Amino acid sequence: MTQSQKHVGEREPHDVSSDRPLISIVIPVFNEESNVERTYAELRRVTDELKDYRFEFLFTDNHSTDNTFALLSKIADKDPDVRIARFARNFGFQQSVLTGYRLARGAAAIQIDADLQDPPELFADFLRKWEEGHDVVVGVRRRRKEGLLLSQGRRSFYQLLAKLDGDHLIADAGDFRLIDRSMIERLRRIHDPHVYLRGLISSLARNQIGIPFDRSERKFGQSKFRLRGLTHMAFGGVMAHSSMPLRISFHIGLVVATGAVLLALSYFLLWLVSPESLPRGFTTTQILILFGIGLNSIFLGILGAYVGRIYDQVRQRPSIVIAHMVNFDEDIETAESRLQW
């Protein structure tokens, strides 16, 4: 299938002429065959109890290599409110969520992971705060079942990011959030190939609020964010919101250069006072040379990372490529043209 598909299934679509506002539930998935059916059933159960709203379920499949897309397609056959956008390759979690927001048709959109570690029962509280005038309502993780070291690492990262980018960032706030239509329209104007949505949405919000909750453990499947992925995302978040690594590189380089000058002066003074006591070996020289080369490599790497981001930005390549769309009223080309530059 290469074209957008629209199925008529057992469940009738919600009345689009209804006065009830449409809410988009955005669910990014990647190799979640053990979760998608449970996730859909739970989301449908929770949303069916919220009689004042209509809902659509927008799955963005980040090129899963298992049966995730096939299972979602079967669900979409029976429920026209389920829409699927499958990418041609894996474009990363952040782009998957951002694309889901951009494709959302609702007056507000709620993003939730397919593992259901974040409770869908919180939708009612999200919508209540949204009705009160908040354009961003984010779930704040009060407790989560993970190791002490990882938990402390997360807390330190959020504290660092808040110092770098301002106090608008809510500590321990994840990707479980509701955003208003006005925020969706702002995100449609963002074309950053290395977007960090948690910080970006907080920086664009006019009136955000956090709701504390306890995050449960993952029951099925494996998390796609291991230590390496979390480290990469944390470094990307710092680079997306601050030039601090470049400033640190400059200051460290300045300190090292100053130390080298002072060391050279001390050797010169020692040579003037007692030439015979001057060290004859080359160990000190070699250590200093290797230390300097190591620092230069680190600093060039940091500089290169920023330059690489600039390069990716000016190339203006499409942020995502869609391979299949299910239950959309437009074809792939039309949808992609709205998502790109």
Side-chain angles (χ1 to χ4, degrees):
M1 296 182 297
T2 58
Q3 296 295 322
S4 174
Q5 303 175 4
K6 187 174 181 180
H7 301 291
V8 179
E10 298 175 1
R11 176 184 286 269
E12 291 296 325
H14 288 306
D15 181 10
V16 295
S17 63
S18 172
D19 292 335
R20 296 178 299 162
L22 175 66
I23 306 299
S24 301
I25 309 297
V26 176
I27 312 102
V29 294
F30 175 68
N31 290 349
E32 294 285 359
E33 63 180 2
S34 60
N35 281 316
V36 288
E37 292 178 319
R38 297 183 183 90
T39 299
Y40 166 74
E42 181 65 12
L43 292 177
R44 177 54 83 179
R45 181 190 68 80
V46 171
T47 55
D48 281 348
E49 296 176 356
L50 300 173
K51 304 298 185 181
D52 293 333
Y53 306 93
R54 297 178 291 122
F55 292 91
E56 67 170 3
F57 306 91
L58 181 55
F59 290 86
T60 52
D61 181 8
N62 212 352
H63 197 70
S64 297
T65 56
D66 60 3
N67 291 322
T68 297
F69 181 66
L71 292 173
L72 286 175
S73 297
K74 291 180 180 179
I75 295 172
D77 283 339
K78 300 177 182 179
D79 189 349
D81 293 329
V82 174
R83 305 164 71 213
I84 311 167
R86 175 174 167 82
F87 300 161
R89 63 179 179 85
N90 193 317
F91 288 91
F93 176 76
Q94 300 292 325
Q95 288 296 341
S96 183
V97 177
L98 180 59
T99 301
Y101 283 145
R102 289 174 172 173
L103 292 174
R105 299 177 299 185
I110 301 176
Q111 192 262 305
I112 187 170
D113 293 341
D115 55 18
L116 291 183
Q117 288 185 267
D118 302 317
E121 288 79 10
L122 215 58
F123 287 177
D125 295 330
F126 279 10
L127 292 167
R128 189 178 306 110
K129 292 298 182 182
W130 173 62
E131 295 282 6
E132 293 175 0
H134 297 282
D135 59 348
V136 174
V137 185
V138 60
V140 180
R141 298 158 180 171
R142 184 168 43 204
R143 285 190 300 269
R144 54 190 303 163
K145 297 181 179 180
E146 63 182 12
L148 179 61
L149 183 60
L150 183 57
S151 179
Q152 185 59 45
R154 291 181 189 275
R155 187 174 296 107
S156 300
F157 167 71
Y158 286 122
Q159 291 174 351
L160 172 62
L161 206 58
K163 291 181 180 178
L164 294 177
D165 202 32
D167 56 5
H168 58 83
L169 294 172
I170 300 177
D172 297 318
D175 295 302
F176 182 38
R177 69 174 80 84
L178 174 148
I179 63 173
D180 181 65
R181 186 76 220 177
S182 61
M183 178 63 69
I184 295 175
E185 295 304 320
R186 289 182 212 129
L187 290 177
R188 291 178 63 84
R189 299 192 292 270
I190 300 295
H191 297 280
D192 186 350
H194 302 284
V195 66
Y196 180 69
L197 280 175
R198 296 181 189 181
L200 177 62
I201 290 176
S202 291
S203 65
L204 295 176
R206 290 194 177 99
N207 186 16
Q208 71 172 337
I209 190 172
I211 298 180
F213 74 99
D214 296 329
R215 199 168 201 241
S216 61
E217 62 182 352
R218 186 184 180 102
K219 295 182 179 179
F220 302 97
Q222 294 182 342
S223 173
K224 308 306 182 294
F225 284 99
R226 303 298 178 88
L227 181 59
R228 180 180 178 182
L230 291 172
T231 303
H232 178 76
M233 186 174 68
F235 187 65
V238 171
M239 293 187 65
H241 292 274
S242 174
S243 60
M244 182 195 67
L246 291 176
R247 295 196 300 271
I248 290 178
S249 300
F250 171 76
H251 290 301
I252 292 178
L254 186 62
V255 170
V256 172
T258 302
V261 171
L262 294 176
L263 185 60
L265 287 176
S266 65
Y267 275 127
F268 179 70
L269 293 175
L270 183 61
W271 177 77
L272 290 177
V273 175
S274 178
E276 66 279 358
S277 64
L278 197 65
R280 298 293 182 181
F282 61 93
T283 304
T284 303
T285 304
Q286 294 300 315
I287 291 175
L288 290 175
I289 291 175
L290 292 175
F291 182 64
I293 292 174
L295 281 180
N296 284 331
S297 299
I298 294 173
F299 298 157
L300 286 174
I302 294 174
L303 182 61
Y306 279 96
V307 173
R309 285 171 171 255
I310 296 172
Y311 178 60
D312 289 339
Q313 188 76 31
V314 299
R315 284 190 298 177
Q316 298 186 5
R317 290 187 175 183
S319 57
I320 56 97
V321 178
I322 299 176
H324 303 286
M325 299 178 70
V326 180
N327 282 349
F328 278 77
D329 295 325
E330 56 189 0
D331 57 26
I332 293 176
E333 288 74 17
T334 303
E336 286 186 338
S337 66
R338 295 192 298 105
L339 296 175
Q340 308 305 333
W341 298 88

